[in-house]
Amino acid sequence: MIDHPRIPLAGVIGSPIAHSKSPRLHSHWLKTYDIRGFYIPMDVAQSDLKEVIATLPKAGFVGINVTIPHKETVLALADVVTDRAALIGAANTLIFRKDGRIHADNTDGYGFIANLKQNAPGWTASAGPAAVIGAGGGARAVIASLIEVGVPEIRLANRTRNRAEALRSEFGAKVIVHDWVQAGNMMEDATTVVNTSSLGMEGKPEFRIPLDALSPKAVVTDLVYTPLRTTLLEEAAAIGCVTVDGLGMLLHQAAPAFERWFGTRPEVDQATRDVVLGA
C-alpha cells in the first residue's frame, strides 16, 4: 500500500464570492512555487458558517481567507485570536492548526503598510498627519496599522459621523474626527491620504471630495481597486502626489496567510499583479 500524503487545501469564504480575485492569486503562487495544493472559493451563508468551518479541517483544509459578511463573526469561532485581529474586531485569515485549534488573524493592516512601502518607497509614517476617509472595516485596519508604524495624527471623516466617533473612542486621542463637509480641508498639510470608503468604486457613488488643500508632497492611496486608477488617484497625481493603487494591499495581505498554510513566503511582484489583473 502507498501512503499518499494529504494535499493541502485552502480557500476563501464569503457571500457573494464569485468576484474574488483571491483564487487567481493563490493559484498563481501555488503554481509558481510548485506546491501541491488548491485554493477554492466558497459561498457560505451566515447560518451555515459555524458548521462549515468546523468541517473544513476534516476535509484537508489548512486554512481559509474570510471576507464579507463573515470577518467579524469568525472571531467568535476561533480558539486563538491575534492581538491585531482583536484590535480591528475582524479576521481575514484562519489557520487550522495541527493541534485542532483555529487561529484567527487579520493581515489587512500589514498588507496596507507593505503596499505603501513597496510602491511609495519615500513614504515615512512619522512625517506628518494622515487623512482617512471612511469608517468601515477597511478604516479599522488602516487606522490600527498607521498608529502602529508611528503616524502622529489621524484625521478621520465619514458620511455618518457617529461611526467615526466610535473609532476614535476605540483607537484613542491620535484620531481626530472631522465633519464630512470638512473632509477636503482635513487634507491640509497631511502627508498621507487614504480612501477606505467605497466612493469611486465601480457601481458606487463618485468620489467628489475637493482636493484643493492637498499638498503635492502627500502620498495618496485608495483601497478601491476597481477601477485600478480611481478618480482620487488621478486627481492626486495631477496635483503632483505619489499615488498608490489598492491592488497591492490585496496582494500583500495574502502573502503571510499563504506562508502559514503552504510553508513558502510568496513574492509580490509584477508577474503577480499581471496575473490578478488578467494581463
Side-chain angles (χ1 to χ4, degrees):
M1 294 285 289
I2 298 174
D3 184 17
H4 291 287
R6 206 172 197 187
I7 296 174
L9 305 176
V12 56
I13 279 183
S15 187
I17 203 63
H19 67 287
S20 176
K21 296 183 184 295
S22 293
R24 185 182 295 181
L25 169 61
H26 286 276
S27 296
H28 164 70
W29 281 338
L30 286 167
K31 182 178 179 181
T32 298
Y33 298 102
D34 197 23
I35 296 170
R36 293 179 73 236
F38 294 93
Y39 186 96
I40 304 158
M42 294 171 279
D43 194 320
V44 177
Q46 280 275 28
S47 57
D48 297 326
L49 185 65
K50 184 176 181 179
E51 182 181 1
V52 169
I53 287 178
T55 302
L56 289 176
K58 303 172 187 177
F61 279 79
V62 292
I64 55 170
N65 285 130
V66 183
T67 188
I68 296 170
H70 305 315
K71 296 176 80 166
E72 293 82 19
T73 310
V74 293
L75 287 181
L77 304 178
D79 302 298
V80 180
V81 178
T82 63
D83 289 343
R84 60 187 178 183
L87 181 64
I88 294 167
N92 71 338
T93 303
L94 296 184
I95 298 135
F96 301 140
R97 298 186 348 186
K98 291 181 180 179
D99 63 5
R101 305 180 87 193
I102 297 174
H103 181 108
D105 195 8
N106 193 308
T107 63
D108 284 334
Y110 164 81
F112 171 73
I113 297 297
N115 186 34
L116 280 179
K117 288 180 175 178
Q118 182 181 46
N119 294 295
W123 178 74
T124 304
S126 60
V132 177
I133 299 154
R140 299 178 69 90
V142 166
I143 290 169
S145 64
L146 288 174
I147 291 173
E148 184 180 3
V149 297
V151 170
E153 176 182 300
I154 297 168
R155 301 165 182 173
L156 179 63
N158 189 62
R159 283 168 286 188
T160 308
R161 184 181 171 109
N162 62 357
R163 292 193 70 181
E165 294 284 3
L167 291 188
R168 186 197 181 283
S169 67
E170 288 185 50
F171 289 101
K174 277 195 175 183
V175 178
I176 300 171
V177 175
H178 291 250
D179 287 331
W180 183 245
V181 293
Q182 298 297 319
N185 293 341
M186 75 175 182
M187 296 181 195
E188 186 174 359
D189 74 22
T191 55
T192 310
V193 175
V194 190
N195 176 38
T196 73
S197 76
S198 61
L199 294 176
M201 184 186 294
E202 288 179 4
K204 300 292 184 179
E206 292 181 24
F207 186 95
R208 289 202 172 101
I209 296 171
L211 302 182
D212 301 5
L214 180 62
S215 166
K217 296 179 181 179
V219 172
V220 180
T221 185
D222 201 326
L223 267 56
V224 171
Y225 56 85
T226 50
L228 198 60
R229 296 295 297 174
T230 62
T231 298
L232 168 62
L233 297 184
E234 292 287 4
E235 292 182 358
I239 290 169
C241 300
V242 173
T243 61
V244 179
D245 67 55
L247 182 62
M249 177 177 169
L250 172 75
L251 306 181
H252 281 286
Q253 62 81 28
F258 186 92
E259 182 180 23
R260 291 293 297 268
W261 300 331
F262 300 113
T264 298
R265 183 68 169 215
E267 185 179 354
V268 176
D269 53 15
Q270 188 59 46
T272 305
R273 282 180 63 90
D274 289 346
V275 165
V276 173
L277 290 170

